[in-house]
Amino acid sequence: MTKQPRRSAYAYFCLFSLYFGAAGGFLYPSLVINSTDGALWLPILLWACASAASCLLYVRLLRGLKGQPLLPFARGLLGPVPAWLLVFPLLLFASGAVIVMLRSFSELVTMTLLPTTPIPFLDGMIVPAALLAAAGLPPIFRAARLLFLLAYAILLFLLLVGFINTHLYYGGPWLRADPAFLLSGDFYGGSFLWMGFAFVALCGSYDAEDSRAFRKGYLLALGVGTALVLAFVYLPVLTFGRELSSNLTFPFVTKMDSVYQYWIVFENLTSIFLSATMFCLLVVMALKLRTIGSVAHGLWPKLPMSKLVLAASAAVFAVATWIPEWRVIESWLFNSLVIRLYVMFAFPLLLLAAGKRKNAKEESR
């Protein structure tokens, strides 16, 4: 496989930031609000810390790849059969992630703007993402750099406008920690938002310099993304109160729909929010489809990458269109926790342990 050109920390920052913008505003807020009766920032910061720890594990792993992709490295380190067993859960993880993202956004558009538009038509947004994914990882990074400033300028405007008619006392309790959220399925269901680095790690080529840019870009994006997510969660709560916000499927979207001010020239802020989210979504879906292709290529290296990506895109479209209702999407968020924890911690730890064992054997000879 041809080595990918070097990417700057800023390129990684743009892509990782778009990942937070792609799902943080419509899937995540209701999960956090329903997960705890205590301070809402606590579960957010706990996942942010877990995400940083997992990213550093991946960075340590990527540092030793010496310019090759992660999955061929795993295959050479473990052998074909153990590598296949270790990698196959990654394929399930990436496939489920892009299916949920595609269908949930189509549901959001149906609920808010286009109630009579057929779901299969809206799911067709996967076509440009599939073409971008088939073109390779460099075009995905170029698209991320192009769309980042535009998408985040719109989101920043919406967040500033969102402070209209907010009341700080609705956000309480601000300091009370309620450990009961550690037993909440909503808390663990929200883990999907903090895993953008895993997709990039699985489909790129890395050496020590690339891994440093990867780490710096993600940690910077994590700071920006955490602030963005805090705003997505708190703005509806500060507007409607916690009880009403907990009953809303898309709290932040409802908040945007409730903003009315004489000096705002745009009549429908929800459509503006969906446009910004769409910019993020297309790049992130392309990244996830590329990851599916990379993982599948790691399992079946003789199959061409572009055909694997296009076949995966067709399968994702079919499954997303087939999903009968919103509850199926929620079920996947909750029931795929084990796979997500495996991707975040078990997979890199197993490869690091295998690499350390191999090095110890070579040194003992």
Side-chain angles (χ1 to χ4, degrees), residues 28 32 46 87-88 106 153 183 209 222 283 329:
Y28 191 71
V32 176
L46 279 180
V87 167
F88 185 72
S106 296
L183 302 177
E209 186 175 341
L222 181 62
V283 175
I329 299 173

Side-chain angles (χ1 to χ4, degrees), residues 61-178:
L61 181 60
L62 299 178
R63 212 162 38 206
L65 296 185
K66 300 179 181 178
Q68 64 179 316
L70 178 56
L71 298 178
F73 169 79
R75 189 181 182 90
L77 178 65
L78 302 172
V81 175
W84 198 95
L85 294 174
L86 204 64
V87 167
F88 185 72
L90 306 182
L91 187 62
L92 296 177
F93 157 71
S95 301
V98 70
I99 290 169
V100 168
M101 176 167 279
L102 176 62
R103 179 55 187 269
S104 58
F105 189 76
S106 296
E107 292 278 358
L108 171 59
V109 174
T110 300
M111 292 179 186
T112 55
L113 294 181
L114 303 171
T116 61
T117 303
I119 289 292
F121 179 83
L122 295 174
D123 285 345
M125 75 179 80
I126 198 174
V127 173
L131 296 176
L132 181 59
L137 200 55
I140 294 175
F141 274 94
R142 287 196 291 270
R145 294 185 65 170
L146 178 66
L147 294 175
F148 165 71
L149 292 177
L150 178 59
Y152 266 69
I154 295 174
L155 289 175
L156 180 60
F157 164 74
L158 293 176
L159 294 179
L160 292 175
V161 168
F163 279 99
I164 295 173
N165 297 326
T166 56
H167 307 279
L168 287 179
Y169 57 83
Y170 282 160
W174 291 96
L175 299 177
R176 190 185 78 204
D178 182 5

Side-chain angles (χ1 to χ4, degrees), residues 30-52:
S30 63
L31 296 175
V32 176
I33 295 169
N34 285 306
S35 69
T36 181
D37 293 325
L40 293 171
W41 54 264
L42 184 56
I44 296 173
L45 292 188
L46 279 180
W47 272 122
C49 292
S51 177

Side-chain angles (χ1 to χ4, degrees), residues 29-337:
S30 63
L31 296 175
V32 176
I33 295 169
N34 285 306
S35 69
T36 181
D37 293 325
L40 293 171
W41 54 264
L42 184 56
I44 296 173
L45 292 188
L46 279 180
W47 272 122
C49 292
S51 177
S54 179
C55 175
L56 294 178
L57 277 178
Y58 272 90
V59 168
R60 185 174 177 183
L61 181 60
L62 299 178
R63 212 162 38 206
L65 296 185
K66 300 179 181 178
Q68 64 179 316
L70 178 56
L71 298 178
F73 169 79
R75 189 181 182 90
L77 178 65
L78 302 172
V81 175
W84 198 95
L85 294 174
L86 204 64
V87 167
F88 185 72
L90 306 182
L91 187 62
L92 296 177
F93 157 71
S95 301
V98 70
I99 290 169
V100 168
M101 176 167 279
L102 176 62
R103 179 55 187 269
S104 58
F105 189 76
S106 296
E107 292 278 358
L108 171 59
V109 174
T110 300
M111 292 179 186
T112 55
L113 294 181
L114 303 171
T116 61
T117 303
I119 289 292
F121 179 83
L122 295 174
D123 285 345
M125 75 179 80
I126 198 174
V127 173
L131 296 176
L132 181 59
L137 200 55
I140 294 175
F141 274 94
R142 287 196 291 270
R145 294 185 65 170
L146 178 66
L147 294 175
F148 165 71
L149 292 177
L150 178 59
Y152 266 69
I154 295 174
L155 289 175
L156 180 60
F157 164 74
L158 293 176
L159 294 179
L160 292 175
V161 168
F163 279 99
I164 295 173
N165 297 326
T166 56
H167 307 279
L168 287 179
Y169 57 83
Y170 282 160
W174 291 96
L175 299 177
R176 190 185 78 204
D178 182 5
F181 72 82
L182 294 172
L183 302 177
S184 169
D186 292 287
F187 169 71
Y188 293 103
S191 58
F192 71 91
L193 182 64
W194 307 98
M195 302 185 65
F197 62 89
F199 294 100
V200 183
L202 292 173
C203 60
S205 303
Y206 296 92
D207 57 19
E209 186 175 341
D210 290 318
S211 65
R212 282 194 294 271
F214 176 95
R215 179 193 62 201
K216 184 177 180 181
Y218 184 72
L219 293 180
L220 287 173
L222 181 62
V224 172
T226 301
L228 185 70
V229 170
L230 285 167
F232 283 152
V233 171
Y234 269 106
L235 280 178
V237 171
L238 295 178
T239 303
F240 308 120
R242 188 173 296 204
E243 183 177 356
L244 176 56
S245 297
S246 66
N247 292 318
L248 299 173
T249 304
F250 302 116
F252 184 76
V253 179
T254 306
K255 164 62 182 177
M256 286 298 101
D257 197 43
S258 72
V259 175
Y260 295 100
Q261 198 72 9
Y262 70 93
W263 55 266
I264 299 176
V265 298
F266 307 103
E267 292 187 1
N268 193 337
L269 292 182
T270 301
S271 63
I272 299 175
F273 169 71
L274 293 180
S275 299
T277 303
M278 175 70 80
F279 294 144
C280 303
L281 197 77
L282 290 176
V283 175
V284 172
M285 282 201 303
L287 171 65
K288 291 183 175 183
L289 291 171
R290 187 70 187 181
T291 302
I292 295 173
S294 298
V295 174
H297 188 70
L299 296 175
W300 303 285
K302 293 183 179 180
L303 298 178
M305 177 78 74
S306 59
K307 291 184 179 179
L308 286 171
V309 169
L310 295 176
S313 303
V316 166
F317 173 81
V319 175
T321 303
W322 168 82
I323 292 175
E325 60 178 1
W326 178 256
R327 296 299 176 190
V328 177
I329 299 173
E330 291 183 328
S331 176
W332 168 258
L333 289 177
F334 299 139
N335 295 331
S336 61
L337 170 66

